[in-house]
Amino acid sequence: MFLASVVSSFCSTTCELGPGVSLFGSLLKLSSVARCCVNQLLFSTMPAQKKPFSRLPSTVVPVNYNLWLKPCLKNFVFEGKQQIDVKVNEATNNIVLNCLDIKIASASFTAEGKSAIASSDISFQVENEKVVIQFPSDLPIGNGVLDMNFTGELNNKMKGFYRSKYVSGNGEEKFAAVTQFEATDARRCFPCWDEPAMKATFDTTLVVPKDLVALSNMNVIDESVYSEDNTLKVMKYAQTPIMSTYLLAFVVGEFDYVEDQTSNGVKVRVYTPVGKSAQGKFALEVATKALPFYKDYFGIPYPLAKMDLIAIADFCAGAMENWGLVTYRETALLIDETSSSAHTRQWVALVVSHELAHQWFGNLVTMEWWTHLWLNEGFASFMEYLATDHCHPKFDIWTQFVTHDLVRAMDLDSLDNSHPIEIPVGHPDEVDEIFDAISYSKGASVIRMLHNWIGDESFRKGMNVYLKKHAYKNAFTEDLWAALGDASGKPVQQVMTTWTKQMGYPVLNVEVKERTDNSITLSLSQSKFRANSMSANTDDSASLWSIPVSFSTSSSPKEPVKSILFDSQTTEVKIDGVARDAWVKLNPGTYGFYRVRYSSDLLTALLPAVRDRTLPARDRLGLQNDLFALASSGVAPTTDFLKALAAYENETDFTVWSDVDGKIGTLFSLLWNNDEAHGNFKKFTLKLMKRTADNMGWEAKDGEGHLESLLRSLVIRRMGECGCTNTITESAKRLSSHLDKSCCLHADLRAPVYGNVLSHGGKKDLETLLTLHKETDLHEERNRIERCLGSAKDPTLIKEVLDFAMSDRVRSNDRIFVIGSVATKHKVGRDLAWKYTKDNWDTLHEMYKGMFLISRLVKNTTENFGTEEMAKDVEDFFEKNPAMAAERTVQQSIEQIRQKSDWWKRDGEAICAWLKENTA
């Protein structure tokens, strides 16, 4: 699954026994059955558990579901019946399944060669999302069939079997029936063993209106007229491979499609809203290239006959990897050749590649339990970059990985309220909390570090062994480490356990021990990095990581001259061939998941290489990112970071600028505490970016490509936000020409132009954007406008924007991003968005409870505060109004507010004085 929240800017506790040692490590020595038993015991007794929980008993397990469903898109209900081939492992007089919001009319059991036995009682455990089907006597051990009839609702919750509203070409409001079963919502559609390890095959039959498209995981093997109503058709699909319930999918609605096939004959279709099939061509191109790429990379063919990708109007996540039928938000799949931005094109390539990677990593081999979620998401998040780089090498996507994933994960993982990559999960309420940047982005980052350490050849070999050994089965993290360790001959498990079992990451302190005319000896020490050094209230001395560390020098800036495995508290490293005036850089390519604090002499030597760009882009990015983190945490003065930024005046790389711009945004929100300093920082930013802005201009030059388009958009937006008169004037001029249709505004310029005009305009400009929003039928354009509406500064207009967010004109899955836009653009909006969220909490929580979107709402509306008073306000509010799926996010936001408060107390006066002196 690709979470919109993880990439939208484009969206604990452990049982540790010591450094790098965890109770989970003992599972390595057990058989898979024994490990499963230990897991079940562990998860049901975890002290941090929010609710009592136990996994389903294995006395009766599924083998095959023969599932029949008849959805009604008028009354929003569905009828269902199923015959489940089961295996009874132990004598029992009941069968326990997962079930939620389903009414079971009848159930019976037929043992092999015996007569059917009707159930004696059907009792629902609503809190535990289970149903117990009781029988008058013990069921015999062996094979049997569980029959049941049931009904359910096509809900409006964007989970389970739900309805998705769309508007047809003639303006008529219509609905599609759609599924979203990950993590634990197949149970909302049919009673089932809704756990990833309870795999089975599925034979699906859908009864639907004749004029609608009906899709499932597999290809259609029979189509006939429904005997009871000739306006309906019966669609029977081929049997699926053995798979988990959360990967089953159905879609019923009106769609067009484009079709092609891969080089090895797999039929690929991209389904779009009616009349928009051309918008599926880019995704189709990516899919037909990515599937053969993965086949070759993993050494295993894609096992299904077809691959469908479909755009859904109402969809919570970015996409979902259902085997053979991947569902997407429209903005994650559709590309309009004239109105889609370079940013969206790249986003679609990444999301499509992510979901197709899951067809092997997640679908073919599945994590044994949600504790190992990162096995699915971390690896897919890493592989999406490999495939996108293969399909579109000009995107320079690996440099963007550093800021999109590595930096994002480091920011979150430096908090006291982070969690390990692997964290015990029990009750379904807890699962949504770990669909976050730790499971996705930190997971991908440590895999990238591992890949770089053992090399691509060993990585591919190990992946092939792992996937073949566990195909159509379930696996633990340790199974993967064993395969990669055997393939590389390196201590993979020993090293990687220190990254997956403990929270956080290290900072390496580096000093010169000795220097000669032709060598340098460095003294290294590692310690846990914390986002707020003032809040350290635990002993981190036991924290220790096994860190692959490489070194580059001015004579070899692109290739490491030395590599070590740093697995002690301190060490010394001698590097030969380094002249006295040469620079030395740790972590070349920024592959390592750690920060570096250089001594002043080592840092001073690096800055000229930043200024003349002889230091590679990923290293320029990583250097300033580390400097900023050290400053914001209190390890170094913030003024040192501001001084170092001067070296980036000549920067030309989009991704470096993107990360610098992110730091500028953070400082903007910090300086909302002081109007004068905020104004001076705008002047400082204008000076910093002026050369780049002048070089980029407004029009594309011959030979420009994807990255230049992204950079132009970035600098125009930031220059406008900082009050550049020429930028604001030109933005208004270009929007006017776009409105009167004399000159269409390029897609890459729309977001910055909309934001610049609205932030310096008034009610008329807001009405203009709302009119554009109403008139467009491209969801990307609507989203673009929605994310700019927070630029309005007048409180009356902000209130209008917030009311608009909750209106029918904004899809329910997009409302949070409108509110988030208001909360993150400026101080007035931040305050009003938080008040609005509190005032409307009951409505918002009911709308999004049990979804990751509630976490996104909490994050957007709280984290930009920076006083102890506001930390207490947020804390008090959520004590009275708990958000079960966002408890960790609440704690993270409160911690970040206090971190900013401490930062301002510590450095605020010095920052204000420095800005005043340097912008006079």
Side-chain angles (χ1 to χ4, degrees), residues 277-299:
S277 60
Q279 293 179 17
K281 289 181 178 178
F282 178 77
L284 182 66
E285 176 191 336
V286 174
T288 53
K289 289 181 180 178
L291 278 172
F293 170 79
Y294 288 134
K295 167 190 169 290
D296 294 339
Y297 197 90
F298 296 132

Side-chain angles (χ1 to χ4, degrees), residues 470-594:
H470 301 284
Y472 305 106
K473 301 174 187 174
N474 298 81
F476 294 79
T477 298
E478 293 83 3
D479 296 320
L480 179 61
W481 295 158
L484 292 172
D486 289 344
S488 64
K490 292 188 176 183
V492 171
Q493 180 191 325
Q494 173 188 328
V495 170
M496 296 308 294
T497 296
T498 69
W499 296 96
T500 61
K501 303 296 188 186
Q502 63 180 334
M503 188 175 77
Y505 59 89
V507 55
L508 273 55
N509 292 279
V510 188
E511 297 179 346
V512 178
K513 175 75 171 180
E514 184 180 353
R515 194 152 201 168
T516 69
D517 289 341
N518 196 42
S519 71
I520 188 170
T521 301
L522 300 175
S523 176
L524 276 63
S525 64
Q526 63 162 295
S527 57
K528 184 176 181 178
F529 179 78
R530 305 176 68 93
N532 188 356
S533 60
M534 294 176 66
S535 71
N537 53 11
T538 58
D539 182 10
D540 295 327
S541 60
S543 297
L544 191 69
W545 287 264
S546 293
I547 314 167
V549 181
S550 296
F551 304 81
S552 62
T553 65
S554 49
S555 59
S556 181
K558 295 183 179 180
E559 296 295 331
V561 296
K562 193 177 186 72
S563 298
I564 64 168
L565 184 61
F566 182 23
D567 55 4
S568 57
Q569 213 73 58
T570 62
T571 193
E572 291 183 3
V573 180
K574 183 180 180 183
I575 307 173
D576 294 321
V578 181
R580 282 189 181 275
D581 60 349
W583 55 258
V584 177
K585 169 82 169 54
L586 276 71
N587 201 14
T590 317
Y591 288 100
F593 198 79
Y594 58 87

